[in-house]
């Protein structure tokens, strides 16, 4: 694994690593030395390491180490984004480079990111609670949401988005051992696939079939299932689904599920 830390000072990181290794056997330490490579406080010609500016340097490290997993911590610290809410900039400076690295080197790319403001956090879908544009999460295969439990030693991690497998969600409660600096699992649960707000919209569009429907029509159709929903929330979810290619918009006001290319009506202008 290649871990690139853009937030923690190297001195603090070394101290934490020393404590984490202290309880290991010599064999376990050897495995860690051979399989974990860490970069912290990195600079290129006096400039802090950033993507996509220094992608050549990061590619050189990946090519040399051949890791199965690359961890980038965090998005805001390691990517030169001026505006996290700009979907076009996110695609150019974040999504594009990350996908390039994953495809070229066959490694899993994990990116740590901060959640948005509290009010935005509660109103949005769990998979889109990261700060900034929804485009940040739209193309990811798995999204893990971690939250402290009002106790600095306990953290809950939830799998809130998963494109692979049968859609089963995972939730795990972890406790931090402040001496060893390791997290230990206290409880793990699996849940059946749950219907998200966007799932309700997709189901509504399926029921409408080929009928021309507006955002207001969709809101009316799902209000009984999501009484706390609003027109703006429906509009935001439709925009996210449009970006993912799951729905289509035409005549600037009507919505429909995206149809297979072979059955698309050319008169609709898709």
């Amino acid at each position: 694994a290649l871990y690139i830390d853009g937030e923690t000072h190297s001195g603090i990181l070394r101290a934490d690593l020393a404590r984490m290794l202290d309880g290991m056997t010599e064999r376990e330490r050897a495995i860690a030395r051979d399989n974990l490579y860490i970069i912290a406080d990195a600079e290129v010609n006096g400039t802090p390491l950033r993507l996509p500016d220094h992608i050549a340097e990061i590619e050189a490290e990946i090519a040399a180490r051949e890791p199965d997993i690359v961890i980038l911590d965090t998005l805001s610290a390691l990517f030169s984004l001026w505006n996290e809410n700009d979907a076009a900039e996110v695609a150019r400076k974040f999504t594009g480079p990350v996908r390039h690295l994953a495809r070229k080197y066959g490694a899993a790319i994990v990116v740590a990111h901060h959640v948005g403001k509290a009010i935005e956090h509660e109103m949005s879908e769990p998979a889109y609670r990261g700060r900034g544009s929804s485009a940040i999460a739209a193309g990811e295969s798995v999204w893990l949401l971690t939250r402290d439990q009002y106790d600095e030693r306990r953290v809950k991690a939830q799998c809130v988005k998963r494109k692979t497998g049968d859609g089963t969600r995972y939730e795990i409660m972890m406790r931090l051992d402040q001496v060893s600096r390791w997290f230990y699992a206290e409880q793990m649960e699996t849940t059946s696939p749950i219907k998200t707000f966007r799932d309700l919209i997709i189901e509504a569009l399926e029921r409408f079939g080929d009928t021309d429907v507006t955002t207001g029509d969709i809101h009316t159709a799902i209000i009984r299932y999501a009484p706390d929903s609003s027109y703006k929330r429906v509009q935001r979810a439709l925009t996210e689904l449009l970006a993912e290619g799951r729905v289509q918009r035409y005549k600037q006001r009507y919505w429909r599920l995206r149809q297979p290319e072979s059955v698309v009506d050319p008169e609709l202008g898709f």
Side-chain angles (χ1 to χ4, degrees), residues 75 80-91 93 132-133 136:
L75 185 152
S80 54
L81 291 173
W82 286 99
N83 182 3
E84 290 181 348
N85 293 299
D86 186 333
E89 184 182 10
V90 166
K93 294 184 177 181
S133 170
I136 292 174

Side-chain angles (χ1 to χ4, degrees), residues 13-73:
L13 185 58
R14 277 195 297 269
D16 277 346
L17 286 171
R19 293 169 69 178
M20 294 173 76
L21 292 169
D22 189 53
M24 290 185 176
T25 64
E26 186 54 43
R27 179 175 178 277
E28 289 171 333
R29 292 180 187 177
I31 292 174
R33 284 195 299 268
D34 293 341
N35 292 278
L36 177 62
Y37 184 68
I38 298 175
I39 297 176
D41 285 344
E43 294 185 349
V44 178
N45 297 324
T47 302
L49 182 70
R50 291 289 186 275
L51 278 166
D53 307 24
H54 304 130
I55 193 168
E57 285 77 10
I58 291 178
E59 284 200 48
E61 292 291 342
I62 295 176
R65 307 290 173 179
E66 298 183 344
D68 294 317
I69 182 171
V70 178
I71 303 170
L72 305 173
D73 187 3

Side-chain angles (χ1 to χ4, degrees), residues 17-267:
L17 286 171
R19 293 169 69 178
M20 294 173 76
L21 292 169
D22 189 53
M24 290 185 176
T25 64
E26 186 54 43
R27 179 175 178 277
E28 289 171 333
R29 292 180 187 177
I31 292 174
R33 284 195 299 268
D34 293 341
N35 292 278
L36 177 62
Y37 184 68
I38 298 175
I39 297 176
D41 285 344
E43 294 185 349
V44 178
N45 297 324
T47 302
L49 182 70
R50 291 289 186 275
L51 278 166
D53 307 24
H54 304 130
I55 193 168
E57 285 77 10
I58 291 178
E59 284 200 48
E61 292 291 342
I62 295 176
R65 307 290 173 179
E66 298 183 344
D68 294 317
I69 182 171
V70 178
I71 303 170
L72 305 173
D73 187 3
T74 61
L75 185 152
S76 59
L78 292 175
F79 290 83
S80 54
L81 291 173
W82 286 99
N83 182 3
E84 290 181 348
N85 293 299
D86 186 333
E89 184 182 10
V90 166
R92 185 174 67 255
K93 294 184 177 181
F94 169 69
T95 309
V98 167
R99 287 182 176 175
H100 165 76
L101 293 175
R103 290 169 179 169
K104 183 174 181 178
Y105 297 99
I109 310 294
V110 177
V111 181
H113 186 40
H114 297 288
V115 297
K117 296 178 181 178
I119 185 169
E120 297 171 352
H121 185 280
E122 295 304 321
M123 292 178 63
S124 62
E125 290 301 304
Y128 290 86
R129 289 179 181 174
R131 192 175 64 196
S133 170
S134 61
I136 292 174
E140 312 312 321
S141 299
V142 178
W143 190 270
L144 298 176
L145 177 65
T146 60
R147 294 177 290 181
D148 65 69
Q149 300 301 294
Y150 306 101
D151 178 344
E152 64 180 9
R153 292 176 297 176
R154 284 180 171 80
V155 171
K156 178 186 287 187
Q158 296 172 292
C159 175
V160 295
K161 176 182 179 181
R162 182 184 176 201
K163 291 184 178 180
T164 58
D166 61 2
T168 300
R169 309 295 181 92
Y170 297 89
E171 180 178 297
I172 185 170
M173 183 75 75
M174 299 177 291
R175 176 182 57 81
L176 173 65
D177 183 317
Q178 293 182 313
V179 175
S180 70
R181 306 304 293 168
W182 283 99
F183 276 100
Y184 294 93
E186 289 190 329
Q187 181 181 1
M188 181 172 179
E189 297 179 359
T190 61
T191 60
S192 300
I194 59 174
K195 290 182 180 180
T196 66
F197 187 69
R198 301 193 309 158
D199 290 333
L200 295 176
I201 291 177
I202 292 295
E203 289 183 355
L205 287 171
E206 289 174 343
R207 292 194 298 270
F208 281 119
D210 294 332
T211 304
D212 294 341
V213 292
T214 63
T215 302
D217 295 329
I218 298 170
H219 182 216
T220 300
I222 68 172
I223 191 70
R224 60 179 294 190
Y225 306 106
D228 61 338
S229 64
S230 65
Y231 181 93
K232 281 189 175 181
R233 188 180 180 192
V234 174
Q235 184 67 50
R236 182 167 60 245
L238 283 166
T239 301
E240 293 169 355
L241 291 167
L242 180 66
E244 293 180 12
R246 297 178 66 187
V247 301
Q248 293 174 306
R249 180 173 57 191
Y250 58 103
K251 297 181 181 177
Q252 300 301 312
R253 59 175 304 201
Y254 296 113
W255 298 92
R256 184 179 297 180
L257 286 178
R258 178 171 289 279
Q259 302 297 319
E261 294 297 327
S262 58
V263 297
V264 168
D265 184 345
E267 292 187 3

